[in-house]
Amino acid sequence: MRDVVLFWAKKGVRIFRVDNPHTKPVPFWEWMIQEVQDVYPDCVFLAEAFTRPKMMKRLAKVGFTQSYSYFTWRETKHDLIEYLTELTTEECREYMRPNFFANTPDINPVYLQENGRAGHQVRLALAATLSPLYGLYNGYEICEATPMPGKEEYLNSEKYELRAWDFDAPDNIKDDIRLINRIRRDNPALWQFTDLTFLNAWNDNILCFYKCSAAKDNLVVVAVNLDAKEPQGASFEIPLWEFGLPDDAAIEAVDLVHDSRQTFNGKTQSLWLDPADRPYAIWRLIPPGSARN
């Protein structure tokens, strides 16, 4: 088995998604991953192990570079905050690197089935900004979510047939994916996983959080409307305290979605997110005294 992996690594394949590694002896993975990475240190091993937390964490400890996670099924504000707090503040933050897949070849989440284009925008924004590692399975770009009746599976799955995708189909979200990927590339705060802090937002449908680089020279605030059907508004907080500013201070921000500038006056601000337009907002705060770029 090791030699099979080494064969493909020699051919240039350096990413291996391992299906159900928790059903195989864990010491085998520890040995094999080390054997391969001794020769090809850049090989990435992704553990596709939707199983009990203890086993998922053990696989990460023995060498898997990335891990599938329960993000796919965390949909409410409470559940997202609880799960991300566990991943970013507890012991597993030292060794587990969760990959936030919005969907997979095997999982067509009910949320996507029921919430159409806006639902796909919501889960994209969450996956791509909460974690530096995220994944979208083919067809997500055109919001393909037709299910097998009563199941979290795709009716027309590529596991069983060849599909010809029209990525320019009406209501595609290619522009959202392109925009968010550019924001990720340009903002080092989004390159880390554990630099996450949730913000007060006085509406259970609005999730607000920020990520801040260690040098505090890059701070990104994200707000997402979890209700993909109805517009939602909320008062929320801007983290002025990160720059030692009082609650009534003003700070400049770049609206990364609309490529515009604004000034936030005071810690408490208001927002309105309409899923018919775009259910997320992303700002970069400009530290006081820094160059206006």
Side-chain angles (χ1 to χ4, degrees), residues 202-270:
W202 289 275
N203 181 334
D204 286 342
N205 291 298
I206 301 289
L207 183 72
C208 288
F209 57 90
Y210 71 94
K211 290 193 163 190
C212 185
S213 63
K216 297 189 178 183
D217 56 355
N218 188 247
L219 191 153
V220 175
V221 176
V222 180
V224 182
N225 178 5
L226 305 178
D227 182 351
K229 291 183 169 32
E230 298 293 335
Q232 297 286 340
S235 295
F236 72 106
E237 291 184 334
I238 293 294
L240 299 177
W241 55 86
E242 283 287 356
F243 304 114
L245 297 174
D247 291 352
D248 59 353
I251 191 167
E252 286 191 87
V254 179
D255 183 332
L256 297 175
V257 173
H258 298 99
D259 192 24
S260 61
R261 288 178 175 268
Q262 65 189 97
T263 299
F264 289 122
N265 290 293
K267 180 177 72 173
T268 303
Q269 299 293 320
S270 297

Side-chain angles (χ1 to χ4, degrees), residues 121-143:
Q121 290 175 302
V122 168
R123 297 302 292 182
L124 161 69
L126 291 171
T129 56
L130 285 168
S131 173
L133 308 171
Y134 86 107
L136 305 175
Y137 171 57
N138 212 14
Y140 196 96
E141 302 91 332
I142 56 174
C143 307

Side-chain angles (χ1 to χ4, degrees), residues 20-49:
N20 284 349
H22 57 288
T23 62
K24 320 303 184 292
V26 173
F28 163 73
W29 297 119
E30 183 174 19
W31 169 81
M32 193 204 74
I33 291 172
Q34 186 63 60
E35 289 273 310
V36 173
Q37 290 184 338
D38 280 348
V39 182
Y40 300 101
D42 58 339
C43 270
V44 171
F45 290 87
L46 169 61
E48 188 266 0

Side-chain angles (χ1 to χ4, degrees), residues 46-120:
L46 169 61
E48 188 266 0
F50 289 120
T51 184
R52 297 176 184 273
K54 185 176 180 180
M55 175 56 79
M56 292 173 71
K57 293 174 181 177
R58 187 178 177 201
L59 289 165
K61 279 186 174 182
V62 301
F64 275 94
T65 325
Q66 300 178 16
S67 305
Y68 269 38
S69 69
Y70 301 130
F71 166 77
T72 315
W73 297 281
R74 298 299 187 263
E75 299 173 359
T76 68
K77 180 175 179 176
H78 172 270
D79 287 349
L80 285 163
I81 291 176
E82 182 180 61
Y83 186 49
L84 268 295
T85 300
E86 172 193 340
L87 292 178
T88 60
T89 66
E90 297 185 7
E91 178 234 6
C92 59
R93 64 175 280 169
E94 303 296 338
Y95 54 82
M96 191 173 181
R97 294 295 173 263
N99 196 320
F100 281 10
F101 279 84
N103 65 333
T104 79
D106 304 305
I107 302 168
N108 178 14
V110 173
Y111 184 91
L112 297 181
Q113 296 176 26
E114 295 180 345
N115 287 289
R117 183 176 188 271
H120 283 72

